Every structure is written in C-alpha cells, then in structure tokens.
Amino acid sequence: MKFFVDTADVAEITDLAATGLLDGVTTNPSLVAKSGRNFLEVIKEICSLVEGPVSAEVTAIEHRQMVAEGRKLATLAPNVCVKLPLTIDGLKACKELTDDGIQVNVTLCFSAAQALLAAKAGATFISPFVGRLDDIGHDGMALIAEIVEIYRNYDQLRTEVLVASVRTPGHVITAARLGADVATLPPAVIRSLFNHPLTDKGLAAFLKDWEGTGQKILD
Ligand code: G3P
C-alpha cells in the first residue's frame, strides 16, 4: 500500500520524505492557501522533493479551461498528477489529459457510481473522501469497500483507489485491509502510525537494563 502525504507544507514533506516511506504527495487549493506559497512555485518544489506523484488541482470548472490548466501544471515536473473534481467537465478533462499520457487524480468522490465513471474516464487515481462522509453520519470506509470490489470485477479498469480525507490510524488500517492502493494522510496521521505506548515502555526498559551492563556496541 502506498502512502502519500496530504499537505503543501514543504518542511513537513522534507521531514517525512527522509523516512523513506513516502510514495507521493497530494495537495488541494485549501492546503496551498494554508501554505501561503505561490501555487506553481510550491508544486515545482514539492516535485523535486519526492519521486512519486504530486497532485496539483486545477481551479477552472469548465472542461476546456481545465485541460489548459492541467497541461500547464503537467509542464512543471514529470511527476505532476493533475487533480480534477468529479464533475462532468472534470471527467471530460480527465479523458483528454489521460489520453495525452498525463496522470490524473479525480477528487471529491463521494459515491461508487462516481468512482466507476472516473475509472471509465481513465483516471490514474480516484480519491474518495472518507472523513467527510463520516462527518455527515455516513460510513466512509463502506464506500472504499464498494469501490475496491467494483474495480476488482473489471481487469480493464486500472484506476488506483486513493483513500482521502483520512482522519485516524483506524482509517488507514481499514483501507489496507480492504486492499486500497493508496492512502493520502495528513502529516499528523502519518506520525501517529509510528506510535504505541508499549513500544515506548519496552524501549525504556531495554535501555535501562542495557545501561546496567556498562557495555557499548560502538567504541
Ligand atoms: O486532499 C483531499 C482530502 O484529503 C481532504 O481532506 O480533511 O479536508 O476532508 P479533508
């Protein structure tokens, strides 16, 4: 399972990339606004920090303008993945850009029907938003199960399921159990995956006992 980080914060990306566990980055207009950076500059910089796909979202809502914006974003770096909203115009643009060989992440997916359409439009990734569904009393992970099941029924659908709007480590584990291809995680959720109180307690005990031996591994 691939882990992307969902942020436009270059310091966070640099820090997490150093773990060797980061497979890509997703951004959206809200995250870019939060970074306070120039959009094109920050995407270019992020693309130089990771080898994997870096999602950069168009802001046009009309198909021709979406394609034009997508083509411009794709010139920034070879690992740019153009992010398009799941609308009729977005899917028309998806078809056109993917036919050109440009990676596309179709975002703001909230139903299995939308995910099926995105796959038929050739999307590289589909981004169902699990946390936002949970927020309104729906079951975000049930949507992931549906999409994974549907995509598995058809070999010709090559779209990867990218679980987005992830809020908890539980979302990540359930996504992995369901066989989702990717999860994009806020930096705090990635960091929380490393933690367990018994790891901290066990390590403290090992180090205390080791200190008692007076030995060193390195001179
Ligand atoms: O980048 C898209 C998605 O991950 C947004 O998450 O927390 O704003 O619902 P959130």
Side-chain angles (χ1 to χ4, degrees):
M1 185 187 197
K2 287 176 269 191
F3 282 173
F4 293 177
V5 64
D6 197 27
T7 185
D9 182 326
V10 167
E12 289 277 28
I13 295 165
T14 306
D15 195 43
L16 290 165
T19 65
L21 301 176
L22 205 57
D23 302 298
V25 178
T26 52
T27 68
N28 62 39
S30 305
L31 293 170
V32 171
K34 193 173 163 195
S35 78
R37 296 277 310 271
N38 172 278
F39 178 40
L40 301 181
E41 283 174 16
V42 79
I43 293 297
K44 208 168 175 170
E45 187 175 345
I46 294 169
C47 286
S48 71
L49 298 173
V50 294
E51 282 182 18
V54 175
S55 290
E57 190 159 339
V58 304
T59 52
I61 54 170
E62 187 277 323
H63 136 257
R64 290 252 47 92
Q65 287 179 336
M66 285 173 157
V67 170
E69 286 189 2
R71 289 202 171 117
K72 178 165 180 180
L73 293 172
T75 65
L76 295 175
N79 53 336
V80 164
C81 177
V82 175
K83 208 171 179 188
L84 299 166
L86 208 155
T87 59
I88 291 180
D89 282 75
L91 293 190
K92 280 164 77 177
C94 174
K95 183 85 182 68
E96 208 163 319
L97 291 170
T98 53
D99 282 351
D100 283 358
I102 293 171
Q103 296 188 79
V104 169
N105 175 1
V106 174
T107 189
L108 290 167
C109 171
F110 294 95
S111 79
Q114 290 180 317
L116 184 54
L117 291 174
K120 284 178 68 68
T124 317
F125 300 103
I126 182 69
S127 289
F129 278 28
V130 295
R132 292 192 195 186
L133 280 169
D134 291 353
D135 290 345
I136 60 162
H138 290 234
D139 182 353
M141 298 315 302
L143 174 60
I144 301 304
E146 267 188 295
I147 298 171
V148 169
E149 180 189 348
I150 290 168
Y151 283 8
R152 280 200 187 133
N153 285 341
Y154 300 97
D155 284 345
Q156 64 272 39
L157 299 182
R158 312 306 286 255
T159 303
E160 294 190 33
V161 180
L162 193 170
V163 181
S165 187
V166 168
R167 304 275 159 77
T168 64
H171 277 151
V172 183
I173 297 310
T174 308
R177 293 182 74 177
L178 292 169
D181 303 281
V182 193
T184 188
L185 314 176
V189 173
I190 296 186
R191 292 204 172 85
S192 73
L193 296 178
F194 288 91
N195 299 332
H196 196 286
L198 290 179
T199 304
D200 298 338
K201 193 178 164 193
L203 181 59
F206 287 157
L207 293 179
K208 188 166 176 285
D209 290 346
W210 177 248
E211 205 181 313
T213 70
Q215 300 180 56
K216 283 184 180 168
I217 295 174
L218 296 177
D219 296 331

